[in-house]
Amino acid sequence: DARSSWLLWMLGNVMLAPVLLLAPFTGAWVDRLNLRRVLIVSDTLRAGIVLAVPMLYASNHLTAPVFALVFALFTCNVFFLPAKSAITPEIVPPAQLLAANALLSGAGIAATAIGALAGGWIVDHRGWDAALRINAATYLVSVAALALIVYRPDERKSTLPEMSWRGYLREVGEGWRVLRRNSRVGLGLIALRKEEKTKAEDYLTWSKRLFDEKYLSKTQLQADQLALQRADLNLNTPTVTGTGFSLA
């Protein structure tokens, strides 16, 4: 497709937009919700959205509705990720928290590596629609696993004031002030974004080698190139650069 480069650029922007527009405002709301319920609802919605992509595209062959679904998918991510981070200390004893976070990180790396290889093969041999159907199934597996977790909401949540627009905006503002004024928080955020970009660069380096040796599909190589572009955009978003200015 002659529009491939433009479509990849557009896809990257659609994936990043929910993070820029919504991520700064979801934390204060998620804090008051049942975290397991947020995770289950998010994964259920993600399964439905991913499953809808091939069906919608097959019905009209238009990219705009697909981009709308991708935007909705990454909007779900904006709620899922902070809830996932917040629920870990609530279900894991403090003494085991370091080990639990290490296991979570290792599992994420392993899943990414396996998914990259398996996903590329499936796309090449079975088609991208089959890969998306399998992806949707993995979200449902996650839903089943989350439903088995024994979870009791933190009692401190009951002491939080009832959410109002004024209180909500105040809490969001307090979070932004901490981000911009606390050097440790700012440096931590910058370090995380840099680490994300370094990992994306490493993945792309290996992808290029595997692609040259005919072990990796062009689709997966393009996906890793897009991941690096997204990591670079994340590092240079106003949140990070603004923090950098406040630290200077």
Side-chain angles (χ1 to χ4, degrees), residues 21 25 31 39 41 43-44 73 77 85 96 113 116-117 125 127 134 139 147 149 161 163-164 177-178 222 226 232:
L21 297 175
F25 308 103
D31 279 345
L39 295 175
V41 171
D43 265 351
T44 302
L73 178 66
N77 291 355
S85 298
Q96 300 176 9
L117 294 173
H125 293 81
I134 293 172
Y139 283 124
I149 292 177
M163 180 62 74
S164 65
R177 283 192 292 273
V178 170
Q222 291 176 330
L226 182 61
D232 189 56

Side-chain angles (χ1 to χ4, degrees), residues 137-158:
T138 63
Y139 283 124
L140 295 179
V141 171
S142 175
V143 169
L146 288 167
L148 297 176
I149 292 177
V150 177
Y151 169 70
R152 294 180 179 177
D154 192 334
E155 295 180 356
R156 289 175 296 180
K157 291 187 177 183
S158 61

Side-chain angles (χ1 to χ4, degrees), residues 5 10 40 42 44 57 64 68 70 74 78 90 93 142-143 147 157 164 168 176 180 201 206 216 221 229 232 237 243:
S5 298
M10 188 64 187
I40 290 175
S42 297
T44 302
Y57 186 76
V70 172
F74 277 79
V78 168
E90 295 190 13
S142 175
V143 169
K157 291 187 177 183
S164 65
Y168 173 74
W176 276 100
R180 296 185 62 86
E201 290 172 340
W206 279 104
L216 198 69
L221 177 63
Q229 293 175 9
D232 189 56
T237 55
T243 303

Side-chain angles (χ1 to χ4, degrees), residues 73-156:
L73 178 66
F74 277 79
T75 298
C76 292
N77 291 355
V78 168
F79 288 89
F80 181 90
L81 293 176
K84 183 191 74 170
S85 298
I87 199 174
T88 305
E90 295 190 13
I91 61 175
V92 177
Q96 300 176 9
L97 193 55
L98 182 60
N101 284 325
L103 287 172
L104 280 174
S105 179
I109 293 172
T112 301
I114 295 171
L117 294 173
W121 186 91
I122 292 170
V123 169
D124 280 350
H125 293 81
R126 296 290 184 266
W128 62 270
D129 53 337
L132 288 178
R133 285 194 290 270
I134 293 172
N135 195 17
T138 63
Y139 283 124
L140 295 179
V141 171
S142 175
V143 169
L146 288 167
L148 297 176
I149 292 177
V150 177
Y151 169 70
R152 294 180 179 177
D154 192 334
E155 295 180 356
R156 289 175 296 180

